[in-house]
Amino acid sequence: MKLDGVPSRTIWLERDGWSVGILNQTLLPHKIDRVTLRTVEDAAHAIKSMQVRGAPLIGVTAAYGVALAMRADASDAALDHAVKFLAVQRPTAVNLRWALEDMRATLAPLAVNARVAAAYARAGAIAEDDVEMCRHIGLNGLALIKDLAEKKDGRPVNILTHCNAGWLACVDWGTATSPIYQAHDAGIPVHVWVDETRPRNQGAALTAFELLQHGVPHSLIADNAGGHFMQRDDVDLVIVGTDRVTAGGDVANKIGTYLKALAAHDNAVPFYVALPYSTIDWSIEKGADIPIEERGADEVLNVQGRLSNGDIASVAISPEGTPARNPAFDVTPARLVTGLITERGVCAASRQGLLSLYPEKKSAAA
Ligand code: MRU
């Protein structure tokens, strides 16, 4: 998608052919800062500190992290260490484990001197595959938006989204935003309600930024406002992304997603979740078994923003000494999900629904 009018991606191979460029998302939207990753430690730091974030992008960064590790040492022990080291940086997004298992399976059978080239080729393929999957998620979700648009007599289709499941969370297009970009590009009037998404404000900082960059009409709303707009018929559709979907169709996503699903259910607003196949965890059935990342209290006790002099600063919002809890994700039960939008089509959030799109997984499902 576009950054300052230029088609851009969130991760790329630098001109030297081996180091990896990323957009440092901790400074967006106030500063466009590009960072170069040269070691597996750099990749791990980028994931943990959320310079890169969003389930698909975490996976792609980890894949390149393995390639960087192989460049330093391509032995069996180094491969094992890199995979284990990267896997523990963030626990909830299953794409991280998926990408690392893919890298291990690709590299382990190869001779040590063939591993560096193979690692870069595989990481590049995972990145390209992500772009294609997101494009197809967009095409499949576009059909839903088109149907709603037909009933709106030229008025915009109002879509609410939570967190950032846009191109910044992937390599390009995004998951939840891909249908929105495709509808906008096709001339269908859309308007997006952007949840600010406390505590890290991925909606305010990232989703608003990328929609603005692409020219998609949107309004930022406080996290607590979504239910109000749903009651007033101002939301036609909710689309969110996800960090992990179980074989039974339960959905982990950014904290607060569950409350939006409850409000959507109470107001008969369709609630869809967009995801690529790399986000499905076939090994577990129930959302209660998804590990939920608990992050530092400082993220709840402070907010980051731009001061009038242009500096980026963090300020406290509560009395010194106030304790806080910060679960980063919650689980929306399958019963509250109208459907899953995947690269293969739209299905029910259930084992049966998922297997109708991924029949080859019949033996893998928990
Ligand atoms: O903590 P984050 O910013 O990595 O959380 C991101 C989300 O929850 C996204 O909605 C999810 O990863 C889907 S991204 C396409």
Side-chain angles (χ1 to χ4, degrees):
M1 308 308 292
K2 289 185 192 144
L3 196 56
D4 288 339
V6 180
S8 305
R9 289 188 173 181
T10 53
I11 189 163
W12 58 91
L13 216 48
E14 297 284 15
R15 283 198 183 153
D16 58 18
W18 65 269
S19 61
V20 178
I22 56 163
L23 274 175
N24 175 6
Q25 301 194 21
T26 63
L27 299 182
L28 287 174
H30 309 302
K31 190 168 174 209
I32 295 178
D33 176 43
R34 295 179 175 86
V35 169
T36 304
L37 312 178
R38 296 188 174 84
T39 63
V40 64
E41 288 79 15
D42 289 348
H45 171 73
I47 294 168
K48 193 170 190 75
S49 66
M50 294 177 65
Q51 287 179 333
V52 292
R53 24 70 50 208
L57 180 57
I58 291 171
V60 174
T61 308
Y64 274 117
V66 172
L68 291 168
M70 293 297 91
R71 217 173 154 265
D73 177 358
S75 66
D76 285 352
L79 175 58
D80 190 54
H81 176 265
V83 166
K84 287 184 176 148
F85 173 57
L86 288 160
V88 296
Q89 300 304 320
R90 291 198 72 192
T92 303
V94 77
N95 308 57
L96 177 60
R97 187 183 80 197
W98 171 86
L100 291 169
E101 280 172 2
D102 184 305
M103 292 299 283
R104 191 203 284 277
T106 304
L107 302 179
L110 302 181
V112 168
N113 63 5
R115 284 181 181 166
V116 176
Y120 276 99
R122 187 62 202 145
I126 289 174
E128 289 305 323
D129 199 31
D130 189 70
V131 176
E132 262 314 278
M133 283 192 290
C134 285
R135 198 173 66 79
H136 279 96
I137 288 168
L139 292 172
N140 293 329
L142 173 61
L144 299 170
I145 298 177
K146 264 190 187 153
D147 282 354
L148 288 167
E150 276 166 21
K151 294 172 205 138
K152 295 225 54 171
D153 239 357
R155 284 172 299 126
V157 178
N158 285 303
I159 303 162
L160 184 142
T161 192
H162 190 69
C163 193
N164 173 260
W167 75 270
L168 291 169
C170 305
V171 178
D172 206 348
W173 289 106
T175 56
T177 57
S178 186
I180 295 169
Y181 288 128
Q182 307 241 17
H184 174 78
D185 290 353
I188 298 171
V190 289
H191 166 263
V192 185
W193 296 113
V194 178
D195 281 355
E196 59 183 348
T197 319
R198 277 282 291 149
R200 285 188 70 107
N201 289 321
Q202 287 95 329
L206 304 176
T207 305
F209 173 75
E210 57 166 274
L211 293 175
L212 195 65
Q213 290 275 332
H214 200 76
V216 179
H218 62 281
S219 308
L220 180 64
I221 53 174
D223 283 332
N224 307 328
H228 166 77
F229 286 118
M230 289 184 205
Q231 283 176 327
R232 298 195 161 206
D233 278 343
D234 284 333
V235 182
D236 299 302
L237 172 69
V238 178
I239 313 181
V240 296
T242 169
D243 292 82
R244 191 182 304 221
V245 172
T246 68
D250 292 339
V251 170
N253 192 45
K254 182 53 57 192
I255 192 77
T257 303
Y258 171 51
L259 291 178
K260 292 297 133 73
L262 284 173
H265 186 71
D266 194 44
N267 291 282
V269 173
F271 183 95
Y272 282 91
V273 179
L275 65 141
Y277 76 92
S278 51
T279 306
I280 306 168
D281 186 347
W282 297 99
S283 73
I284 55 176
E285 183 74 19
K286 290 199 174 71
D289 293 330
I290 298 174
I292 299 294
E293 178 179 12
E294 180 93 25
R295 296 185 60 87
D298 55 311
E299 292 182 353
V300 177
L301 299 170
N302 300 281
V303 288
Q304 178 177 288
R306 191 188 59 231
L307 303 177
S308 52
N309 68 3
D311 288 352
I312 300 170
S314 181
V315 295
I317 58 165
S318 51
E320 217 169 306
T322 297
R325 285 285 306 273
N326 187 11
F329 300 94
D330 61 22
V331 174
T332 299
R335 68 186 162 80
L336 297 177
V337 178
T338 310
L340 303 173
I341 307 171
T342 80
E343 75 284 353
R344 290 199 186 171
V346 181
C347 71
S350 64
R351 164 185 281 267
Q352 231 184 355
L354 282 167
L355 288 177
S356 72
L357 294 182
Y358 301 95
E360 73 277 17
K361 291 291 181 185
K362 273 194 177 118
S363 58

